[in-house]
Amino acid sequence: MAMRIYRLRRGAGIEGLELTTTDAPVVGPGEVRIRVRAVSLNQRDLNLARGASGGDPYTPCSDGAGEVVEVGAGVDRWRIGDRVLATFYPAWTDGPPSEAATAAGLGGGALPGMLAEKVVLPQQALVAVPPHLHFEEAATLPCAGVTAWNALFRAGRATAGQSVLLLGTGGVSVWALQLAKAAGLRAIVTSSSDAKLAVARSLGADAVINYRSEPRWHEAVRRETGGCGVDLVVEVGGRDTLVQSLSAARAGGTIALVGGVSGGFGIELPPFALIDRAQTLAGVLVGSREMAQELAAFTELTRLRPVIDRRFRFEQACEAFEYLAGGGHVGKVVVQGPESA
Ligand SMILES: NC(=O)c1ccc[n+]([C@@H]2O[C@H](COP(=O)([O-])OP(=O)(O)OC[C@H]3O[C@@H](n4cnc5c(N)ncnc54)[C@H](OP(=O)(O)O)[C@@H]3O)[C@@H](O)[C@H]2O)c1
């Protein structure tokens, strides 16, 4: 049976995204076919589109949710009609990351992604959608949500009453803000925009700082924390923010290293500053299925609803990519599954 699917020519930019038709993949033993109902976009999807060219076109996007429409022989975790979300690394179910488990993520070229009418995935690479979420909300969990969960509670080991600094109002940071508030943390949020900071306030941010009008924002963070600095920074900025994040964290604090949205990682770190203030730099690599299950359970228990900035129809995926690239969003940008699926 034919189905609609996006293919991306690596390095061709957003213009390299093409909607085409192909035969639906066959469901093998231990696999399930999912009708994709929503996909959410991440910086990684943009980075891959704009990165080095070469290789065969592939289906982009790691993050999606949908319903099970067919199960292969031996499938015992899912039934037709179940609502599921994909996990970023199908081979990383639990425990610490290993090179084998994290060798390939969905939509990265080695494995097909979710921007398709239907996908086939191994049964162990799925998590049940929290019942109160619709598919568009559920599609934001696999990368942004799980990364925020890992950065706060696994790598960051945050506990109630502690303070956390969140940089900007993109997908990971807004997820982290919502989780932090639901878990009883004090959240300080930076942004380039006062309007976005007002949204952060409405989501429960305890203090907000405009990093454009206040370029020495690390000092403002210290003032907000009685001169000590925060217990944890969820560091999504990289080049333009990491050194200031070290100053914004308390002695003995943790900087959960997530990304380089300010322009990559070309940076010189002052190692003695880390020693002198006994700080921990903790790398965060999305997360395992176990973490996705923890996140789904927490989301259900707290009735948390992830922030979706804007939705696009399936046929508008290029516009959705352009919109994400423009940086005007707060939270997540979502592409709906095809209506005719
Ligand atoms: N390690 C992992 O497993 C992992 C997982 C997911 C994402 N990431 C990485 O994490 C980063 C964030 O991803 P995302 O999906 O949340 O991106 P996103 O939704 O596109 O977020 C972009 C936002 O980052 C903020 N920003 C940009 N420059 C900044 C600066 N100098 N200081 C503070 N904030 C700044 C801006 O917020 P304002 O507009 O409010 O200023 C911008 O809107 C990316 O580099 C991504 O590749 C890594």
Side-chain angles (χ1 to χ4, degrees):
M1 191 195 294
M3 66 167 198
R4 287 191 289 167
I5 188 167
Y6 276 95
R7 300 253 192 245
L8 185 62
R9 279 176 290 117
R10 193 184 281 267
I14 296 169
E15 316 80 75
L17 195 59
E18 286 171 349
L19 182 55
T20 180
T21 49
T22 186
D23 287 338
V26 174
V27 179
E31 294 181 333
V32 302
R33 187 192 305 281
I34 296 150
R35 172 188 168 190
V36 179
R37 300 290 298 274
V39 171
S40 84
L41 304 187
N42 290 290
Q43 277 292 323
R44 168 181 180 259
D45 305 319
L46 280 180
N47 295 344
L48 287 170
R50 292 163 162 172
S53 50
D56 292 333
Y58 66 96
T59 304
C61 299
S62 52
D63 288 12
E67 57 196 319
V68 173
V69 291
E70 188 181 341
V71 297
V75 167
D76 52 8
R77 296 175 72 94
W78 307 106
R79 288 186 300 194
I80 290 172
D82 283 347
R83 299 181 342 127
V84 292
L85 56 97
T87 57
F88 188 95
Y89 291 116
W92 187 13
T93 52
D94 50 20
S98 68
E99 284 183 23
T102 59
L106 293 182
L111 294 176
M114 298 296 291
L115 201 53
E117 194 172 314
K118 299 204 176 80
V119 296
V120 170
L121 287 168
Q123 66 159 339
Q124 75 273 8
L126 302 168
V127 169
V129 169
H132 72 293
L133 294 187
H134 54 64
F135 285 115
E136 293 168 7
E137 294 166 325
T140 72
L141 269 75
C143 181
V146 171
T147 300
W149 178 264
N150 187 355
L152 287 172
F153 304 118
R154 292 287 195 112
R157 298 179 185 186
T159 52
Q162 289 193 321
S163 54
V164 61
L165 172 63
L166 306 167
L167 305 181
T169 55
V172 173
S173 296
V174 169
W175 249 113
L177 170 59
Q178 293 184 279
L179 292 171
K181 292 316 300 171
L185 303 177
R186 179 157 195 265
I188 302 175
V189 176
T190 70
S191 175
S192 57
S193 150
D194 288 341
K196 290 183 175 185
L197 288 174
V199 178
R201 276 274 194 210
S202 73
L203 292 169
D206 298 278
V208 296
I209 302 163
N210 186 318
Y211 63 83
R212 290 252 187 275
S213 55
E214 192 138 13
R216 296 182 67 78
W217 47 266
H218 56 291
E219 292 173 355
V221 173
R222 292 179 74 94
R223 283 197 297 277
E224 285 291 343
T225 50
C228 308
V230 287
D231 297 291
L232 173 65
V233 183
V234 178
E235 226 309 322
V236 300
R239 188 190 65 189
D240 293 350
T241 59
L242 182 51
V243 172
Q244 280 175 270
S245 287
L246 297 183
S247 300
R250 70 167 167 82
T254 298
I255 296 91
L257 284 176
V258 173
V261 80
S262 72
F265 297 96
I267 192 169
E268 270 190 36
L269 268 185
F272 188 70
L274 280 170
I275 298 169
D276 198 34
R277 300 184 62 234
Q279 292 177 326
T280 302
L281 284 183
V284 174
L285 185 61
V286 197
S288 61
R289 185 191 71 197
E290 184 181 50
M291 294 184 213
Q293 286 168 324
E294 289 171 0
L295 172 65
F298 183 88
T299 301
E300 181 178 347
L301 201 65
T302 57
R303 310 293 293 174
L304 188 156
R305 304 199 83 107
V307 175
I308 297 175
D309 179 284
R310 200 160 153 191
R311 301 155 169 80
F312 291 82
R313 286 183 295 105
F314 188 68
E315 297 74 17
Q316 296 177 304
C318 289
E319 288 162 68
F321 271 66
E322 298 280 7
Y323 182 69
L324 183 76
H329 59 286
V330 174
K332 296 300 294 179
V333 177
V334 167
V335 177
Q336 294 162 333
E339 280 175 17
S340 60

